[in-house]
Amino acid sequence: DAKTTQPTSMDCAEGRAANLPCNHSTISGNEYVYWYRQIHSQGPQYIIHGLKNNETNEMASLIITEDRKSSTLILPHATLRDTAVYYCIVPMTGGFKTIFGAGTRLFVKA
Amino acid sequence: GAVVSQHPSRVICKSGTSVKIECRSLDFQATTMFWYRQFPKQSLMLMATSNEGSKATYEQGVEKDKFLINHASLTLSTLTVTSAHPEDSSFYICSARGARGADTQYFGPGTRLTVL
C-alpha cells in the first residue's frame, strides 16, 4: 500500500496558488517526500522533494510540517497546463521501492 | 532534470508474439530501474525493481516468466512481454535512479502496448 494519502481531486482558478496536501504519518526519519505529476498519457514528471526543510524550485514550493507527518505542494501561479494528477510519494528505504497511490487530480480552470 | 527515454513509444502486436521495450538513462548512471504498468484511469502499479547486474525483484502477482527484465548496464534496462495477450495491453513506464540515497527517480515517457 502507498504510504501517503491525498485528496482525490481539487480545483484551482488560473493564476491563483494551488495548494495540494499530503499525509504521510508513518514516514520515518530518513525518508524523503517526493512530488511528481502526470499529464495524460505521459510518464510522471519530477517536481520537487524534501526531507525536513521547506524547499523551493522553479516549479513549486514544498512545505513539510515540523513533525514530518504531512506536506503541502504549492504551485504559486497555476496555469491551465498544470492540470494533471499529482502524486505525493515516500519511497521506501533500502531499495527505494516506490508505490503510487491514487494521487490528486488537479483541475485548473480559466 | 535527468532524462530517461523509452523505445518504442507505441507498439501494436498480435496475440502470442513477444514485445521488447527499452528504457535508457541518457545522462546519468542508473543503479536501479523500475518498471510500472498503468491501466486506463488507474494509478501506476509497480511490476518489478532491477539493479544493474542482478536479477529483477518482481512484485506479488507479476509473472517473472512472462515479463522478462534485463538490466545489463547502468544505462539500459529492457522489459520483454512474452506471448502477449490482449489483457497485457497497457501503458508501460520505466523509471531510473542513481546510487546515492537521495537520488531522484526519473521516469520515462511510457510505452503504449496494444495486443490484438
Side-chain angles (χ1 to χ4, degrees):
Chain A
D1 292 340
K3 297 176 67 173
T4 63
T5 55
Q6 300 176 250
T8 302
S9 66
M10 295 181 66
D11 289 347
C12 178
E14 187 179 22
R16 305 297 293 268
N19 297 294
L20 291 88
C22 178
N23 287 322
H24 31 79
S25 58
T26 61
I27 194 170
S28 58
N30 59 349
E31 291 179 328
Y32 286 76
V33 180
Y34 282 79
W35 283 83
Y36 293 85
R37 71 180 182 185
Q38 186 179 28
I39 297 170
H40 183 63
S41 295
Q42 297 180 25
Q45 176 190 22
Y46 166 75
I47 300 174
I48 199 168
H49 74 282
L51 182 63
K52 295 180 181 178
N53 300 320
N54 297 336
E55 302 287 344
T56 295
N57 62 20
E58 65 278 5
M59 289 184 69
S61 294
L62 174 61
I63 308 298
I64 302 174
T65 57
E66 193 169 342
D67 62 9
R68 303 213 320 123
K69 293 185 177 182
S70 66
S71 61
T72 300
L73 178 73
I74 302 172
L75 307 178
H77 305 286
T79 70
L80 299 179
R81 287 178 294 181
D82 292 323
T83 292
V85 179
Y86 287 77
Y87 295 100
C88 169
I89 305 292
V90 176
M92 299 179 185
T93 53
F96 216 74
K97 189 164 79 169
T98 299
I99 305 298
F100 279 75
T104 295
R105 189 171 294 275
L106 176 69
F107 295 95
V108 180
K109 300 181 177 180
Chain B
V3 179
V4 176
S5 70
Q6 279 184 244
H7 178 79
S9 58
R10 192 178 286 271
V11 58
I12 301 173
C13 70
K14 293 182 179 180
S15 186
T17 60
S18 294
V19 175
K20 180 185 284 188
I21 302 170
E22 291 187 350
C23 176
R24 294 181 184 273
S25 58
L26 299 184
D27 52 1
F28 69 103
Q29 292 187 326
T31 307
T32 307
M33 286 186 167
F34 304 87
W35 286 95
Y36 295 83
R37 181 167 52 179
Q38 187 175 33
F39 293 107
K41 297 185 179 181
Q42 295 186 22
S43 187
L44 283 76
M45 184 186 76
L46 179 65
M47 298 176 67
T49 302
S50 73
N51 292 295
E52 186 262 339
S54 302
K55 289 184 178 180
T57 301
Y58 290 80
E59 294 300 300
Q60 191 172 9
V62 178
E63 299 176 58
K64 63 179 182 180
D65 294 331
K66 180 169 183 62
F67 299 99
L68 302 179
I69 292 172
N70 184 282
H71 189 170
S73 77
L74 286 172
T75 59
L76 173 65
S77 176
T78 60
L79 168 68
T80 301
V81 183
T82 62
S83 186
H85 292 285
E87 57 265 29
D88 298 323
S89 298
S90 189
F91 192 49
Y92 291 86
I93 306 169
C94 73
S95 69
R97 69 178 294 270
R100 296 175 301 177
D103 273 3
T104 297
Q105 189 177 169
Y106 292 97
F107 288 81
T111 296
R112 176 76 58 192
L113 170 63
T114 302
V115 185
L116 303 177

